[in-house]
Every structure is written in structure tokens, then in C-alpha cells.
Amino acid sequence: MANLKMTTPPKGWNSWDVYGASVTESEVKENAAYMAENLLSHGWEYVVVDIQWYEPTADSSHYHAFAELKMDEYGRLLPAENRFPSAVNGVGFKNLSDYVHSLGLKFGIHIMRGIPRQAVHLNVPIAGTNLRARDIAHANSICPWNTDMYGIDMGKEGAQAYYDSIFKLYAEWGVDFIKVDDIADSKLYSTHLEEIKAIRKAIDKTGRDMVLSLSPGPAPLKYGTFFQEYANMWRLTDDFWDNWEQLKDMFTRCAQWSPFVGPGSWPDCDMLPLGHIGIRSVDGGGADRLTRFTKAEQRTMMTLWSIFRSPLMLGCELTDLDDWTLHLLREPTLKIMHQEGRNARQIHNEDDWVVWQTEANATVYYVIFNLSDTERVTPTEIVALAKLKNSETLVAHDCLVSY
């Protein structure tokens, strides 16, 4: 069963949108220090190192096919020491994790499902067994966009032992958050149900609380109750970027998935492309830039994510965050809806007017979204629906919070 101790959706920072696969230890520390000083008191607490932390040659969001990876004698990936110097002598992320924890924050990493192809080609032993990598590898189960891993055949002896061994290592490092990729909606094989079960079992064996986040999306709606049982977060979309059409589409996804939101169960709208992104991440149709979302679109995104209670993961360079964005991230009404809201749901969607409702602390909150491309006066029937006293003029793509 998924960890139900989590009563609120995770809030934090992930390195992908700004550094792609190439983030360094110093960059993680700088962003963590900013979060501790400026955002921790507002509920932002997770610092997550995204993909390829084990690849010495990673330099952008582009993957290097069949790159040599850093791993131990049991095929367990280790941080690349040229990018994470505190990982020397095989200590992995323990020192970086300790630093993040010393700030009052929590530490997370990204992994790909399966076992490194490099481990299989070398046929390394599986820790705690008499078996080897080739005994469990599923060589026909691959990721179409990343060459690092083979899937694991969960019907083979030793398969669970391998997953147990890597999560034992992560627990020793002090990891609090695991983002597992190529698993919620593998582009070739749909959802890898058995590997998800194995990962859940391995986490539970460690005795350490770890948020389990599944990527990429769109996760199939038919597996909603499965995800609730075995994961804490699962992606509703492929990578989300600063694009209005993607944001508008998220309203449909949130309406479909709202029944699955609850303690320890958070359908995930993906990261927040706010502020300064793309420094070394060229995905999303752009390079080094400020978000292409207008301020109205940014408010719309933050409000939808908050009332729906999606996890909130920032993707920007925090150290040069502007005052306007920082204020948005600290907005108290959004925090209440996100952290305290219950029974959030869409109650109206017609003619690009969308209304959501949630309940928090004996108060009912209503949000009106104008999804058209023009400024419009809120129709009286929409105002009445949301129990507002007066009609309001809304900026294009803007939203109005009432309670």
C-alpha cells in the first residue's frame, strides 16, 4: 500500500526544466539554500535531482546514447563524481542529502525503471544473491528515448532482490523522494504494473518514508485505483512546458482525475515552468529563457494546480527568482486550497468558462477561470454559480478566487 502518512501534496524543486540532465552539486546546493531561506516557511521542502546524475558526460537535456555510467559492483548507479564531488569513495548522495536535510528540507532523486544495460553486459552480481544481472534483465523491455536501462522480468528469481538492493542504498543515502521514469506510461508498453509493485515493496522494506512519483504521462485513467494503492504521485501528461494549449488541456485531465485525489494520493500535473528556465535544458521548444507564460497564465496554472491539489514542483533557477513570481509562490489563498482543500471538483465547463470548488477549514472556495483568448465580463449565471456578490472583469486566461 502507498504511504498514507502524507496528508498534503509535495511541494519543491526539480532540476530538469533549468538544467536538463546536467545539474551539478553546487547548483543543487544553491537552489536548496534559496528554498530554505525563502520558501520553506510556505511549505516548499523537496529538492529533487533529476535524470542522468550517474552520467559523467551529461551536459544538457539531450541524452548520450550508450554513455558510460557510474555504478558499483552490484550494478547500482552512483553519482558522477565530476558533477557531485561529495560522492567520492562510494558514499553516493549521502553527503548532499545530509546538506539538504541540514537546511530543514527533504532530498529526492530521479531513476529509470529497470537495471543498467551496462550492468547486464558486464553480468555483475545482484547484491545478496547468487544470481547475476542477465538472470533478471528483460532485454526486449527498453525505453525508446533513453538507452541506459533494460527492464526487469519480475517473473525471474532475483528480480525483487535487485529492486530491494537499490532502494536499500537510497535509504542509506537519506533519500525522501523517488521519481521513477518510463513506468507510468511507457511509450512502448503502457504501464509497467509489476515493476511498480516491486518498487513499492522495495520502498516499504526499507522502513523509510519515501514519496513514490511515477513518470511520464499520460497515466491511463483505467489504472487510477492501482496508482492510489502503489504510488503517491503519477503524471497526467508528458513533459509540461510553458505553452498555453498544454495548460488549457490540463483542465480536462484534472476534471477526470479529481476523484483520485486524497491522502497520499496525488495525480500529478507535472512541473511548474515559472521564472528562469532552459539554462541547459532545451526541451519544450526553447533554450535559456524566462517563462513564456503571461502573468495571467501563470496565475491560472498556479490556481488550477493548487485547487486540484497537484504536487507543486518548481523547475526554475531559484536564485534569480523575481519578486512577482516569489509572491505568487507564497500566495496564502492558494496555499490553503492546496494544503487544506478537500473534495475539489469542477462544477462548470462551458463556453471557456470553468468553475472549480473546494472546501477548506469549514470554508467553501470557488475559482472562476476564463479560458478564452479575450477579456470578458463574467456572466451573471457564472457569478451566481460561484456565489459571488458582484460580476468581475477578468483578464484573458485569468482566474478569480472567491470564498
Side-chain angles (χ1 to χ4, degrees):
M1 292 289 290
N3 174 19
L4 297 182
K5 294 179 182 178
M6 296 173 54
T7 58
T8 59
K11 298 172 67 174
W13 176 85
N14 177 292
S15 59
W16 175 257
D17 282 5
V18 66
Y19 294 113
S22 68
V23 72
T24 65
E25 181 168 358
S26 62
E27 290 161 342
V28 173
K29 285 184 171 182
E30 288 167 2
N31 280 275
Y34 180 95
M35 179 179 288
E37 182 176 352
N38 298 281
L39 290 168
L40 175 59
S41 60
H42 297 269
W44 302 84
E45 60 178 347
Y46 288 93
V47 174
V48 181
V49 178
D50 211 88
I51 195 169
Q52 304 303 122
W53 42 267
Y54 39 80
E55 184 195 333
T57 56
D59 55 7
S60 71
S61 57
H62 292 310
Y63 302 118
H64 301 145
F66 306 107
E68 185 173 349
L69 310 178
K70 177 73 173 177
M71 68 181 193
D72 70 8
E73 69 271 28
Y74 299 113
R76 301 180 298 184
L77 295 169
L78 299 173
E81 295 170 8
N82 62 319
R83 294 168 51 204
F84 299 93
S86 72
V88 295
N89 301 319
V91 301
F93 274 129
K94 183 65 170 66
N95 291 328
L96 180 55
S97 175
D98 285 348
Y99 171 78
V100 171
H101 290 151
S102 75
L103 299 175
L105 303 171
K106 296 180 179 179
F107 180 70
I109 60 174
H110 171 292
I111 66 171
M112 298 291 292
R113 72 173 178 93
I115 186 170
R117 293 191 192 197
Q118 184 174 312
V120 176
H121 297 165
L122 295 173
N123 203 23
V124 299
I126 298 169
T129 76
N130 295 320
L131 301 166
R132 292 187 171 268
R134 291 178 193 169
D135 296 321
I136 65 169
H138 191 338
N140 291 325
S141 180
I142 60 172
C143 174
W145 46 267
N146 184 289
T147 60
D148 292 343
M149 314 292 276
Y150 287 129
I152 292 178
D153 184 342
M154 295 311 304
K156 296 292 185 64
E157 183 184 359
Q160 183 66 53
Y162 180 76
Y163 272 125
D164 291 349
S165 74
I166 63 172
F167 281 92
K168 179 177 182 294
L169 186 64
Y170 303 154
E172 292 169 356
W173 291 348
V175 171
D176 307 296
F177 184 109
I178 296 281
K179 175 183 175 182
V180 186
D181 217 331
D182 190 42
I183 198 164
D185 180 45
S186 172
K187 301 309 176 186
L188 294 177
Y189 315 103
S190 187
T191 305
H192 291 273
L193 303 176
E194 295 307 313
E195 287 191 78
I196 293 171
K197 289 180 181 179
I199 289 168
R200 176 78 267 159
K201 185 175 181 180
I203 291 174
D204 292 345
K205 281 184 177 181
T206 70
R208 183 176 181 82
D209 288 340
M210 296 186 199
V211 176
L212 175 56
S213 170
L214 305 180
S215 288
L221 189 62
K222 65 182 179 180
Y223 294 133
T225 55
F226 175 89
F227 291 128
Q228 282 185 305
E229 182 174 0
Y230 290 99
N232 301 113
M233 299 166 46
W234 55 93
R235 284 263 296 276
L236 306 188
T237 179
D238 207 338
D239 285 2
F240 179 85
W241 286 102
D242 45 342
N243 175 288
W244 169 247
E245 292 305 317
Q246 279 189 295
L247 175 51
K248 190 173 181 179
D249 176 66
M250 195 61 69
F251 280 84
T252 298
R253 299 175 192 265
C254 290
Q256 292 173 332
W257 280 98
S258 60
F260 296 93
V261 176
S265 172
W266 316 115
D268 179 14
C269 295
D270 199 19
M271 296 199 310
L272 298 162
L274 297 169
H276 184 188
I277 57 177
I279 292 177
R280 293 197 300 276
S281 182
V282 296
D283 276 17
D288 194 342
R289 66 189 185 277
L290 296 179
T291 182
R292 292 172 297 202
F293 280 138
T294 66
K295 287 183 177 179
E297 290 167 347
Q298 293 175 62
R299 287 194 296 267
T300 295
M301 176 178 63
M302 278 297 298
T303 306
L304 178 62
W305 268 233
S306 296
I307 195 168
F308 173 65
R309 306 193 78 198
S310 170
L312 300 179
M313 300 300 292
L314 296 165
C316 58
E317 174 57 42
L318 293 178
T319 62
D320 58 13
L321 202 62
D322 63 282
D323 289 342
W324 186 90
T325 307
L326 181 60
H327 177 77
L328 180 64
L329 299 177
R330 292 168 160 180
E331 211 290 319
T333 303
L334 297 185
K335 180 181 178 182
I336 291 170
M337 293 193 300
H338 185 255
Q339 300 291 284
E340 306 296 336
R342 297 291 185 274
N343 303 317
R345 59 198 179 278
Q346 176 184 281
I347 61 174
H348 179 85
N349 187 337
E350 187 176 354
D351 189 30
D352 278 338
W353 290 107
V354 175
V355 182
W356 273 71
Q357 172 184 322
T358 192
E359 302 154 19
N361 301 327
T363 299
V364 179
Y365 291 77
Y366 297 88
V367 179
I368 298 175
F369 298 93
N370 172 21
L371 302 188
S372 76
D373 294 327
T374 59
E375 295 184 13
R376 301 188 293 175
V377 175
T378 313
T380 56
E381 62 270 23
I382 301 297
V383 174
L385 181 66
K387 301 179 181 177
L388 297 173
K389 294 180 180 178
N390 304 108
S391 175
E392 299 282 350
T393 300
L394 305 182
V395 180
H397 309 327
D398 211 352
C399 54
L400 177 65
V401 179
S402 173
Y403 56 92

